[in-house]
Amino acid sequence: MQIVNNISDVRKIIKQWQREGLSVGFVPTMGYLHEGHASLIEAANKENAKVVVSIFVNPIQFGPKEDLDKYPRDLERDSKIVETSGGDLIFNPSPSEMYTEDFSSFVEVNSLTDGLCGAKRPGHFKGVCTVVTKLFNIVTPDKAYFGEKDAQQLAVIKKMVRDLNIPVEIIGCPIIRENDGLAKSSRNVYLNSEERAAALVLSKSLEKAKEALKSGERSSEKIRDIIMGTLSSEPLAQIDYVEIVDSISLTSIDYIENSILIAIAVFIGKTRLIDNFTFKL
Ligand code: PAF
């Protein structure tokens, strides 16, 4: 397993693989890898001859008051996870390698980014789409793997790839959870023990919504009330959003009759966590 920092070297290695007829799977990450990332690398390893993992904390997808500076970083630990999960190459560029001083081109996906995290984190998806496009152009993978925990990100990237004819297949992989239900996230490391216990309210509230849907409840308002009620019972939780949307268009719906995405974002102390599930009728 090799670690490469510059774009021209990573291109040379991948071009050589492709000349040999080897397929390339790609897992873009911001590092501080956990079992969720490992599951993406394992999925890529099963379906491709070679697996590239990028580790890059992308500055342009963070808002001015967000956690760019304190975002956890540990390349040594990440390298072990990539290697044991079946990765062949880590692309770990510096910010200046990715963004020259005169950088001025951006990629934006409209409408799908209007709600959910897009509404709460202005500019976030512009930063994500720009860096993912750059990474796709550098790595030129056959398939790229993204977690369903970032459901809006996955939908936005699928749309971007379709709209811009980027020749890559996007594969969504299921959310990986701790034994008690908390969705794995690099940001879970910010939680102290009291907050870690409080964070369970996210998955609990979604479980209650799932039960209600299974029992036949179809009113978005009632499902939303169930989730809000559970979240509000936790004193350390501050709701950022609770949304029930069509799983393709990501627009709000009143009555549940098709495939829906229920997505929540909640601050536990200062840490913003997200979770979701898709429900198909
Ligand atoms: O999901 C992430 O970790 C990031 O948004 C991504 C896709 C690696 C782009 O920086």
Side-chain angles (χ1 to χ4, degrees):
M1 212 261 317
Q2 26 183 350
I3 303 178
V4 180
N5 307 114
N6 70 68
I7 295 169
S8 61
D9 286 351
V10 84
R11 279 203 162 122
K12 266 186 222 147
I13 296 168
I14 294 170
K15 279 227 167 77
Q16 181 54 36
W17 289 343
Q18 290 171 335
R19 265 196 292 270
E20 291 167 24
L22 302 174
S23 60
V24 176
F26 178 42
V27 182
T29 81
M30 296 207 300
Y32 214 72
L33 307 180
H34 50 67
E35 287 87 340
H37 298 109
S39 76
L40 302 180
I41 301 169
E42 282 159 14
N45 181 251
K46 277 196 193 120
E47 298 179 351
N48 303 273
K50 294 286 182 187
V51 177
V52 177
V53 179
S54 63
I55 296 181
F56 178 61
V57 183
N58 175 34
I60 67 164
Q61 70 185 72
F62 288 79
K65 291 191 183 135
E66 293 184 352
D67 56 343
L68 172 62
D69 292 336
K70 71 166 188 172
Y71 198 85
R73 293 158 168 92
D74 189 341
L75 185 60
E76 208 179 305
R77 180 179 163 279
D78 287 348
S79 310
K80 287 183 193 136
I81 296 176
V82 172
E83 188 149 31
T84 54
S85 312
D88 297 285
L89 187 154
I90 293 178
F91 175 45
N92 178 224
S94 63
S96 61
E97 179 73 5
M98 290 297 276
Y99 301 112
T100 51
E101 256 173 48
D102 62 347
F103 185 86
S104 62
S105 305
F106 296 88
V107 181
E108 271 186 280
V109 172
N110 294 333
S111 87
L112 275 187
T113 56
D114 288 348
L116 307 164
C117 289
K120 298 289 177 176
R121 303 183 68 189
H124 170 68
F125 285 113
K126 182 177 171 186
V128 170
C129 289
T130 301
V131 80
V132 170
T133 302
K134 282 171 69 66
L135 290 167
F136 284 168
N137 284 335
I138 294 164
V139 176
T140 62
D142 296 284
K143 296 181 181 179
Y145 297 77
F146 293 85
E148 288 172 355
K149 186 167 89 62
D150 295 295
Q152 188 177 20
Q153 171 172 279
L154 178 59
V156 167
I157 286 168
K158 280 185 177 164
K159 181 77 165 59
M160 175 185 86
V161 160
R162 221 174 36 244
D163 285 354
L164 301 181
N165 308 96
I166 303 177
V168 59
E169 186 184 340
I170 302 300
I171 316 270
C173 298
I175 298 177
I176 305 292
R177 297 181 180 278
E178 303 285 356
N179 288 337
D180 59 8
L182 179 67
K184 301 252 184 197
S185 163
S186 306
R187 289 188 167 99
N188 290 349
V189 73
Y190 297 150
L191 303 168
N192 64 31
S193 60
E194 206 189 339
E195 291 167 342
R196 172 65 184 76
L200 280 184
V201 76
L202 278 88
S203 54
K204 273 190 193 149
S205 71
L206 293 183
E207 279 309 318
K208 287 200 177 157
K210 244 182 239 175
E211 277 164 29
L213 285 163
K214 280 186 191 151
S215 320
E217 184 56 67
R218 295 290 173 263
S219 152
S220 291
E221 199 184 333
K222 291 214 171 108
I223 298 289
R224 203 163 176 273
D225 286 348
I226 290 169
I227 298 172
M228 301 277 274
T230 310
L231 293 173
S232 309
S233 70
E234 171 49 64
L236 291 182
Q238 208 195 315
I239 300 168
D240 197 23
Y241 68 72
V242 172
E243 295 287 348
I244 301 175
V245 296
D246 178 271
S247 65
I248 308 290
S249 67
L250 305 188
T251 50
S252 288
I253 47 155
D254 296 331
Y255 188 78
I256 297 162
E257 48 191 348
N258 287 316
S259 172
I260 56 151
L261 169 74
I262 302 197
I264 63 177
V266 179
F267 283 94
I268 301 290
K270 286 195 170 127
T271 306
R272 185 177 181 275
L273 300 176
I274 56 172
D275 203 346
N276 72 77
F277 71 92
T278 301
F279 181 80
K280 288 187 185 87
L281 273 182

PDB file of all heavy atoms in Angstrom, residues 28-31 37 54 56 58 61 71 124 127-128 131-132 135 146 150 153 157, ligand 1:
ATOM      1  N   PRO A  28     -13.513   8.362  -1.604  1.00  0.00           N
ATOM      2  CA  PRO A  28     -13.068   9.685  -1.147  1.00  0.00           C
ATOM      3  C   PRO A  28     -13.403   9.864   0.337  1.00  0.00           C
ATOM      4  O   PRO A  28     -14.529   9.561   0.752  1.00  0.00           O
ATOM      5  CB  PRO A  28     -13.897  10.673  -1.988  1.00  0.00           C
ATOM      6  CG  PRO A  28     -14.821   9.858  -2.824  1.00  0.00           C
ATOM      7  CD  PRO A  28     -14.770   8.447  -2.361  1.00  0.00           C
ATOM      8  N   THR A  29     -12.442  10.322   1.145  1.00  0.00           N
ATOM      9  CA  THR A  29     -12.705  10.525   2.574  1.00  0.00           C
ATOM     10  C   THR A  29     -11.993  11.796   3.051  1.00  0.00           C
ATOM     11  O   THR A  29     -11.138  12.338   2.351  1.00  0.00           O
ATOM     12  CB  THR A  29     -12.171   9.358   3.452  1.00  0.00           C
ATOM     13  OG1 THR A  29     -10.763   9.544   3.667  1.00  0.00           O
ATOM     14  CG2 THR A  29     -12.411   8.002   2.821  1.00  0.00           C
ATOM     15  N   MET A  30     -12.344  12.191   4.271  1.00  0.00           N
ATOM     16  CA  MET A  30     -11.598  13.283   4.912  1.00  0.00           C
ATOM     17  C   MET A  30     -10.736  12.718   6.051  1.00  0.00           C
ATOM     18  O   MET A  30     -10.273  13.457   6.908  1.00  0.00           O
ATOM     19  CB  MET A  30     -12.567  14.351   5.427  1.00  0.00           C
ATOM     20  CG  MET A  30     -13.340  15.011   4.292  1.00  0.00           C
ATOM     21  SD  MET A  30     -13.864  16.683   4.644  1.00  0.00           S
ATOM     22  CE  MET A  30     -14.900  16.428   6.067  1.00  0.00           C
ATOM     23  N   GLY A  31     -10.545  11.388   6.036  1.00  0.00           N
ATOM     24  CA  GLY A  31      -9.667  10.770   7.033  1.00  0.00           C
ATOM     25  C   GLY A  31     -10.338  10.551   8.370  1.00  0.00           C
ATOM     26  O   GLY A  31     -11.553  10.648   8.497  1.00  0.00           O
ATOM     27  N   HIS A  37     -16.028   3.847   6.918  1.00  0.00           N
ATOM     28  CA  HIS A  37     -15.100   3.977   5.784  1.00  0.00           C
ATOM     29  C   HIS A  37     -14.547   2.597   5.394  1.00  0.00           C
ATOM     30  O   HIS A  37     -14.417   2.287   4.213  1.00  0.00           O
ATOM     31  CB  HIS A  37     -13.913   4.882   6.151  1.00  0.00           C
ATOM     32  CG  HIS A  37     -14.287   6.285   6.486  1.00  0.00           C
ATOM     33  ND1 HIS A  37     -14.218   6.791   7.763  1.00  0.00           N
ATOM     34  CD2 HIS A  37     -14.734   7.298   5.714  1.00  0.00           C
ATOM     35  CE1 HIS A  37     -14.585   8.056   7.757  1.00  0.00           C
ATOM     36  NE2 HIS A  37     -14.920   8.391   6.530  1.00  0.00           N
ATOM     37  N   SER A  54      -8.836   8.527  -1.008  1.00  0.00           N
ATOM     38  CA  SER A  54      -8.264   9.862  -0.803  1.00  0.00           C
ATOM     39  C   SER A  54      -8.531  10.279   0.634  1.00  0.00           C
ATOM     40  O   SER A  54      -9.595   9.988   1.203  1.00  0.00           O
ATOM     41  CB  SER A  54      -8.838  10.884  -1.789  1.00  0.00           C
ATOM     42  OG  SER A  54     -10.213  11.038  -1.586  1.00  0.00           O
ATOM     43  N   PHE A  56      -8.367  13.769   2.515  1.00  0.00           N
ATOM     44  CA  PHE A  56      -8.156  15.205   2.308  1.00  0.00           C
ATOM     45  C   PHE A  56      -9.261  15.968   3.038  1.00  0.00           C
ATOM     46  O   PHE A  56     -10.442  15.822   2.705  1.00  0.00           O
ATOM     47  CB  PHE A  56      -8.184  15.532   0.808  1.00  0.00           C
ATOM     48  CG  PHE A  56      -8.022  17.003   0.512  1.00  0.00           C
ATOM     49  CD1 PHE A  56      -6.869  17.676   0.904  1.00  0.00           C
ATOM     50  CD2 PHE A  56      -9.015  17.716  -0.143  1.00  0.00           C
ATOM     51  CE1 PHE A  56      -6.710  19.034   0.648  1.00  0.00           C
ATOM     52  CE2 PHE A  56      -8.873  19.070  -0.405  1.00  0.00           C
ATOM     53  CZ  PHE A  56      -7.716  19.732  -0.012  1.00  0.00           C
ATOM     54  N   ASN A  58     -11.150  18.804   3.180  1.00  0.00           N
ATOM     55  CA  ASN A  58     -11.379  19.784   2.115  1.00  0.00           C
ATOM     56  C   ASN A  58     -11.810  21.138   2.696  1.00  0.00           C
ATOM     57  O   ASN A  58     -12.964  21.294   3.110  1.00  0.00           O
ATOM     58  CB  ASN A  58     -12.478  19.229   1.195  1.00  0.00           C
ATOM     59  CG  ASN A  58     -12.883  20.206   0.125  1.00  0.00           C
ATOM     60  OD1 ASN A  58     -12.054  20.971  -0.367  1.00  0.00           O
ATOM     61  ND2 ASN A  58     -14.167  20.178  -0.232  1.00  0.00           N
ATOM     62  N   GLN A  61     -15.323  23.073   1.918  1.00  0.00           N
ATOM     63  CA  GLN A  61     -16.673  22.605   2.249  1.00  0.00           C
ATOM     64  C   GLN A  61     -17.055  22.926   3.698  1.00  0.00           C
ATOM     65  O   GLN A  61     -18.113  22.526   4.165  1.00  0.00           O
ATOM     66  CB  GLN A  61     -16.847  21.117   1.934  1.00  0.00           C
ATOM     67  CG  GLN A  61     -16.085  20.152   2.843  1.00  0.00           C
ATOM     68  CD  GLN A  61     -16.229  18.714   2.384  1.00  0.00           C
ATOM     69  OE1 GLN A  61     -15.666  18.314   1.370  1.00  0.00           O
ATOM     70  NE2 GLN A  61     -16.983  17.910   3.135  1.00  0.00           N
ATOM     71  N   TYR A  71     -10.869  19.468  12.989  1.00  0.00           N
ATOM     72  CA  TYR A  71     -11.279  18.179  12.406  1.00  0.00           C
ATOM     73  C   TYR A  71     -10.168  17.163  12.663  1.00  0.00           C
ATOM     74  O   TYR A  71      -8.993  17.427  12.400  1.00  0.00           O
ATOM     75  CB  TYR A  71     -11.549  18.328  10.894  1.00  0.00           C
ATOM     76  CG  TYR A  71     -12.370  17.178  10.371  1.00  0.00           C
ATOM     77  CD1 TYR A  71     -13.761  17.192  10.451  1.00  0.00           C
ATOM     78  CD2 TYR A  71     -11.766  16.036   9.844  1.00  0.00           C
ATOM     79  CE1 TYR A  71     -14.521  16.116  10.011  1.00  0.00           C
ATOM     80  CE2 TYR A  71     -12.519  14.959   9.409  1.00  0.00           C
ATOM     81  CZ  TYR A  71     -13.883  15.017   9.491  1.00  0.00           C
ATOM     82  OH  TYR A  71     -14.632  13.940   9.073  1.00  0.00           O
ATOM     83  N   HIS A 124     -21.650  24.509   1.485  1.00  0.00           N
ATOM     84  CA  HIS A 124     -21.068  23.191   1.785  1.00  0.00           C
ATOM     85  C   HIS A 124     -21.030  22.285   0.548  1.00  0.00           C
ATOM     86  O   HIS A 124     -19.984  21.731   0.198  1.00  0.00           O
ATOM     87  CB  HIS A 124     -21.864  22.532   2.911  1.00  0.00           C
ATOM     88  CG  HIS A 124     -21.508  21.093   3.141  1.00  0.00           C
ATOM     89  ND1 HIS A 124     -20.284  20.702   3.644  1.00  0.00           N
ATOM     90  CD2 HIS A 124     -22.194  19.938   2.900  1.00  0.00           C
ATOM     91  CE1 HIS A 124     -20.238  19.378   3.719  1.00  0.00           C
ATOM     92  NE2 HIS A 124     -21.382  18.890   3.265  1.00  0.00           N
ATOM     93  N   GLY A 127     -18.588  23.160  -2.157  1.00  0.00           N
ATOM     94  CA  GLY A 127     -17.241  22.684  -1.803  1.00  0.00           C
ATOM     95  C   GLY A 127     -17.094  21.194  -2.032  1.00  0.00           C
ATOM     96  O   GLY A 127     -16.070  20.721  -2.540  1.00  0.00           O
ATOM     97  N   VAL A 128     -18.145  20.435  -1.663  1.00  0.00           N
ATOM     98  CA  VAL A 128     -18.094  18.973  -1.840  1.00  0.00           C
ATOM     99  C   VAL A 128     -18.052  18.634  -3.331  1.00  0.00           C
ATOM    100  O   VAL A 128     -17.211  17.848  -3.786  1.00  0.00           O
ATOM    101  CB  VAL A 128     -19.322  18.288  -1.166  1.00  0.00           C
ATOM    102  CG1 VAL A 128     -19.407  16.818  -1.560  1.00  0.00           C
ATOM    103  CG2 VAL A 128     -19.262  18.420   0.356  1.00  0.00           C
ATOM    104  N   VAL A 131     -14.647  19.513  -4.939  1.00  0.00           N
ATOM    105  CA  VAL A 131     -13.515  18.623  -4.620  1.00  0.00           C
ATOM    106  C   VAL A 131     -13.748  17.228  -5.196  1.00  0.00           C
ATOM    107  O   VAL A 131     -12.806  16.586  -5.682  1.00  0.00           O
ATOM    108  CB  VAL A 131     -13.223  18.577  -3.097  1.00  0.00           C
ATOM    109  CG1 VAL A 131     -14.165  17.643  -2.349  1.00  0.00           C
ATOM    110  CG2 VAL A 131     -11.779  18.159  -2.853  1.00  0.00           C
ATOM    111  N   VAL A 132     -14.988  16.750  -5.178  1.00  0.00           N
ATOM    112  CA  VAL A 132     -15.247  15.401  -5.696  1.00  0.00           C
ATOM    113  C   VAL A 132     -15.013  15.376  -7.213  1.00  0.00           C
ATOM    114  O   VAL A 132     -14.435  14.425  -7.740  1.00  0.00           O
ATOM    115  CB  VAL A 132     -16.667  14.915  -5.295  1.00  0.00           C
ATOM    116  CG1 VAL A 132     -17.033  13.634  -6.035  1.00  0.00           C
ATOM    117  CG2 VAL A 132     -16.737  14.678  -3.784  1.00  0.00           C
ATOM    118  N   LEU A 135     -11.312  15.274  -7.647  1.00  0.00           N
ATOM    119  CA  LEU A 135     -10.789  13.941  -7.311  1.00  0.00           C
ATOM    120  C   LEU A 135     -11.133  12.931  -8.402  1.00  0.00           C
ATOM    121  O   LEU A 135     -10.307  12.091  -8.769  1.00  0.00           O
ATOM    122  CB  LEU A 135     -11.338  13.489  -5.945  1.00  0.00           C
ATOM    123  CG  LEU A 135     -10.779  14.271  -4.747  1.00  0.00           C
ATOM    124  CD1 LEU A 135     -11.608  13.995  -3.485  1.00  0.00           C
ATOM    125  CD2 LEU A 135      -9.314  13.924  -4.484  1.00  0.00           C
ATOM    126  N   PHE A 146     -19.708   5.834  -1.616  1.00  0.00           N
ATOM    127  CA  PHE A 146     -20.089   6.862  -0.644  1.00  0.00           C
ATOM    128  C   PHE A 146     -21.052   6.251   0.370  1.00  0.00           C
ATOM    129  O   PHE A 146     -21.869   5.385   0.024  1.00  0.00           O
ATOM    130  CB  PHE A 146     -20.790   8.033  -1.353  1.00  0.00           C
ATOM    131  CG  PHE A 146     -19.887   8.815  -2.263  1.00  0.00           C
ATOM    132  CD1 PHE A 146     -19.666   8.405  -3.572  1.00  0.00           C
ATOM    133  CD2 PHE A 146     -19.234   9.960  -1.818  1.00  0.00           C
ATOM    134  CE1 PHE A 146     -18.819   9.119  -4.422  1.00  0.00           C
ATOM    135  CE2 PHE A 146     -18.389  10.685  -2.663  1.00  0.00           C
ATOM    136  CZ  PHE A 146     -18.180  10.263  -3.962  1.00  0.00           C
ATOM    137  N   ASP A 150     -24.488  10.143   4.743  1.00  0.00           N
ATOM    138  CA  ASP A 150     -24.589  11.467   4.117  1.00  0.00           C
ATOM    139  C   ASP A 150     -25.538  11.344   2.928  1.00  0.00           C
ATOM    140  O   ASP A 150     -25.121  11.391   1.763  1.00  0.00           O
ATOM    141  CB  ASP A 150     -23.206  11.942   3.678  1.00  0.00           C
ATOM    142  CG  ASP A 150     -22.284  12.156   4.864  1.00  0.00           C
ATOM    143  OD1 ASP A 150     -22.556  13.045   5.675  1.00  0.00           O
ATOM    144  OD2 ASP A 150     -21.304  11.405   5.001  1.00  0.00           O
ATOM    145  N   GLN A 153     -25.617  14.171   0.377  1.00  0.00           N
ATOM    146  CA  GLN A 153     -24.364  14.189  -0.393  1.00  0.00           C
ATOM    147  C   GLN A 153     -24.405  13.127  -1.491  1.00  0.00           C
ATOM    148  O   GLN A 153     -24.038  13.384  -2.643  1.00  0.00           O
ATOM    149  CB  GLN A 153     -23.180  13.947   0.551  1.00  0.00           C
ATOM    150  CG  GLN A 153     -21.860  13.723  -0.169  1.00  0.00           C
ATOM    151  CD  GLN A 153     -20.683  13.685   0.780  1.00  0.00           C
ATOM    152  OE1 GLN A 153     -20.190  14.712   1.192  1.00  0.00           O
ATOM    153  NE2 GLN A 153     -20.209  12.497   1.117  1.00  0.00           N
ATOM    154  N   ILE A 157     -24.230  13.937  -5.447  1.00  0.00           N
ATOM    155  CA  ILE A 157     -23.121  13.440  -6.279  1.00  0.00           C
ATOM    156  C   ILE A 157     -23.649  12.590  -7.437  1.00  0.00           C
ATOM    157  O   ILE A 157     -23.178  12.702  -8.565  1.00  0.00           O
ATOM    158  CB  ILE A 157     -22.075  12.719  -5.405  1.00  0.00           C
ATOM    159  CG1 ILE A 157     -21.313  13.800  -4.632  1.00  0.00           C
ATOM    160  CG2 ILE A 157     -21.102  11.882  -6.251  1.00  0.00           C
ATOM    161  CD1 ILE A 157     -20.454  13.339  -3.541  1.00  0.00           C
TER     162      ILE A 157
HETATM  163  O1  PAF B   1     -18.025  12.622   2.930  1.00  0.00           O
HETATM  164  C1  PAF B   1     -16.892  13.137   3.036  1.00  0.00           C
HETATM  165  O2  PAF B   1     -16.040  12.687   3.801  1.00  0.00           O
HETATM  166  C2  PAF B   1     -16.552  14.366   2.184  1.00  0.00           C
HETATM  167  O3  PAF B   1     -17.647  15.189   2.039  1.00  0.00           O
HETATM  168  C3  PAF B   1     -15.950  13.993   0.822  1.00  0.00           C
HETATM  169  C4  PAF B   1     -16.935  13.250  -0.056  1.00  0.00           C
HETATM  170  C5  PAF B   1     -14.705  13.149   1.009  1.00  0.00           C
HETATM  171  C6  PAF B   1     -15.546  15.277   0.078  1.00  0.00           C
HETATM  172  O4  PAF B   1     -14.609  16.007   0.786  1.00  0.00           O
END
